[in-house]
Each structure stands twice: as C-alpha cells, then as structure tokens.
Amino acid sequence: QQKIRKIHDLVLLAKEVDLPLKFLTDLKQLTTAYIYSRYPDVPIDEDIEELSKHFLKVAEEVIKWSEGNL
C-alpha cells in the first residue's frame, strides 16, 4: 500500500499523476493563491474576484480530468 504524501504543491502532485501540461501554469499560480486567506495583511490583487473565478474554473477542470483518469 502506498503512503499518502502530505504536500501542498499542486504542480508536483499534477506531475505525479501525469496531469496534462496545459494545467501546470494555472496550478503554479493556484498553489500560491492561498496566501490571501492565510495572511490577511498581504495586499490583495485588484483583480482578485476575476482571478478567483479563473481558479475555480481550473479546479473544476482538474477535478473532471481526475474523475475520468485516476
């Protein structure tokens, strides 16, 4: 039985499951997006709402790919 790794780097996880390369740039940005919720003193990007919508779309696409390929 394989041990589950506790990592938060979405790009590393994506590479481990051979996720298509088209997702990697977005996942790299999404990996660092948590800083807005973890550190409230970080200046918020002016386009945070639009960026959040984009990340939700990417996450939905990755989940859909995962359901069909894992």
Side-chain angles (χ1 to χ4, degrees):
Q1 185 174 22
Q2 192 174 13
K3 185 177 180 179
I4 296 174
R5 291 179 46 206
K6 294 182 181 182
I7 62 172
H8 299 282
D9 188 324
L10 298 176
V11 174
L12 287 177
L13 291 170
K15 288 178 179 180
E16 286 185 9
V17 297
D18 296 323
L19 191 74
L21 294 177
K22 68 179 184 175
F23 294 115
L24 293 186
T25 300
D26 289 324
L27 290 180
K28 184 176 182 179
Q29 293 175 324
L30 185 55
T31 295
T32 60
Y34 76 95
I35 62 171
Y36 296 115
S37 63
R38 294 275 308 205
Y39 305 101
D41 57 329
V42 171
I44 293 181
D45 190 312
E46 291 179 16
D47 298 325
I48 192 71
E49 188 173 335
E50 201 59 40
L51 194 56
S52 297
K53 289 177 185 177
H54 174 71
F55 286 144
L56 283 172
K57 182 180 179 226
V58 170
E60 289 170 353
E61 290 175 6
V62 169
I63 289 169
K64 186 175 181 176
W65 180 90
S66 299
E67 290 173 340
N69 291 281
L70 298 180

